[in-house]
Amino acid sequence: MKLGVNIDHIATLRNARQGKEPSLVEAAKVALLEDILALTMHLREDRRHIKDKDLYDVKELGAKINLEMAATKEIQKIALDLMPYSVCIVPERRQEITTEGGLDVEGQKEYLKEFIKPLKEKGILVSMFIDADENQVKASKYINADYIEMHTGKFSLAFEKGDYNKELEKLKAASSLAQSLGLKVNAGHGLNYENVYLMKEIKGICELNIGHSIISKAVFTGLQKAIKEMLLLIK
Ligand code: PXP
């Protein structure tokens, strides 16, 4: 199982002051010191965190980018120019705090089938961010996606409440159906240091995309060093 590190929150923090700190490129460099598969970045329609230039700056480091994107022509054009390693098609609502719920592939399968064609033709791997639902898995196969990424948000919430079995079983069923159809399987959303071990129970998951909990932990694992360095400078 490989790890994709979502660095959107670094950009959120940077954008809070509209400045340069913390640098997304520096964050990417640090992440790339570890044995990760890719850096995951979501270019939203409203550009609330990742900006267009960030994608190119990180690509220049030689990083594999997993670009999360809505199925719009505007972002498709950017993806075709950027040439990320993979794209993950996600639903996007302007007011949402984060990606809430999976993409309805079933309900727009003809559109999505056409939409992903040029991306696939260029050799970009295409993933569909879906709920663990049989029809969504089958629709992802129908449109010729390479991967599904299972939305683990419901599982994560259930884990917090201490009653996650049903959600875990749904993930297992969706994953094995997908693999039986020849799709590869990723997972992500709400995974953290407490619940991630359970992903090992789902056979054949290729990649986990994790952002919030890693960046949150980094605040504490790195905060003491940051204060020490500042103290040295002002002594
Ligand atoms: N995968 C997808 C498709 C997402 O939209 C997100 C959130 O941006 C993640 C993974 C990572 O979720 P989290 O930040 O909760 O780890």
Side-chain angles (χ1 to χ4, degrees):
M1 209 154 47
K2 305 236 163 143
L3 178 65
V5 178
N6 184 315
I7 54 173
D8 294 349
H9 284 320
I10 303 284
T12 303
L13 192 55
R14 177 199 60 193
N15 297 352
R17 287 288 176 92
Q18 312 272 344
K20 291 186 189 161
E21 285 186 322
S23 156
L24 200 77
V25 168
E26 289 310 312
K29 281 185 189 165
V30 171
L32 291 169
L33 293 174
E34 296 303 320
D35 182 23
I36 63 170
L37 176 71
L39 290 166
T40 295
M41 300 162 83
H42 186 173
L43 187 68
R44 281 184 168 267
E45 187 196 3
D46 62 8
R47 307 298 198 270
R48 70 168 78 148
H49 35 57
I50 299 295
K51 314 274 186 205
D52 302 44
K53 185 174 178 303
D54 293 327
L55 297 171
Y56 291 90
D57 289 348
V58 170
K59 176 90 191 289
E60 221 164 78
L61 300 174
K64 278 184 181 168
I65 295 178
N66 171 38
L67 178 66
E68 291 178 3
M69 56 178 276
T72 66
K73 288 282 168 202
E74 186 217 353
I75 309 286
Q76 184 197 51
K77 198 164 156 239
I78 294 166
L80 289 169
D81 182 63
L82 177 74
M83 289 296 293
Y85 165 73
S86 58
V87 296
C88 181
I89 311 294
V90 301
E92 214 175 277
R93 293 175 211 95
R94 272 195 171 241
Q95 300 309 325
E96 69 188 355
I97 296 171
T98 179
T99 315
E100 293 157 6
L103 183 71
D104 179 15
V105 181
E106 164 76 13
Q108 46 182 337
K109 56 186 177 194
E110 299 308 332
Y111 172 76
L112 287 171
K113 196 173 184 183
E114 284 308 305
F115 182 83
I116 68 172
K117 258 188 199 162
L119 297 161
K120 283 186 61 99
E121 275 164 18
K122 281 234 186 177
I124 301 168
L125 298 170
V126 177
S127 179
M128 293 290 133
F129 189 46
I130 58 170
D131 289 325
D133 174 275
E134 188 183 323
N135 290 333
Q136 299 298 346
V137 174
K138 287 181 178 162
S140 301
K141 175 65 189 172
Y142 172 81
I143 67 162
N144 293 321
D146 301 292
Y147 285 80
I148 58 162
E149 177 166 331
M150 300 191 296
H151 196 308
T152 46
K154 279 191 192 146
F155 157 79
S156 302
L157 288 176
F159 182 89
E160 263 174 42
K161 290 185 186 141
D163 184 17
Y164 58 79
N165 266 328
K166 206 172 108 202
E167 293 302 331
L168 185 61
E169 288 310 312
K170 279 194 210 163
L171 293 170
K172 284 181 186 171
S175 169
S176 67
L177 172 64
Q179 290 177 63
S180 74
L181 297 173
L183 288 159
K184 296 208 176 90
V185 179
N186 297 334
H189 209 284
L191 296 176
N192 60 33
Y193 292 84
E194 278 80 48
N195 65 25
V196 75
Y197 76 97
L198 288 163
M199 293 300 106
K200 291 189 194 164
E201 286 192 15
I202 307 170
K203 287 195 190 78
I205 290 196
C206 298
E207 178 188 339
L208 299 177
N209 283 303
I210 306 181
H212 189 81
S213 67
I214 292 178
I215 304 304
S216 301
K217 174 150 297 234
V219 170
F220 298 109
T221 54
L223 187 59
Q224 196 177 4
K225 188 167 176 280
I227 294 170
K228 270 192 177 65
E229 269 184 45
M230 186 56 80
L231 282 170
L232 275 177
L233 288 171
I234 63 175
K235 249 183 198 158

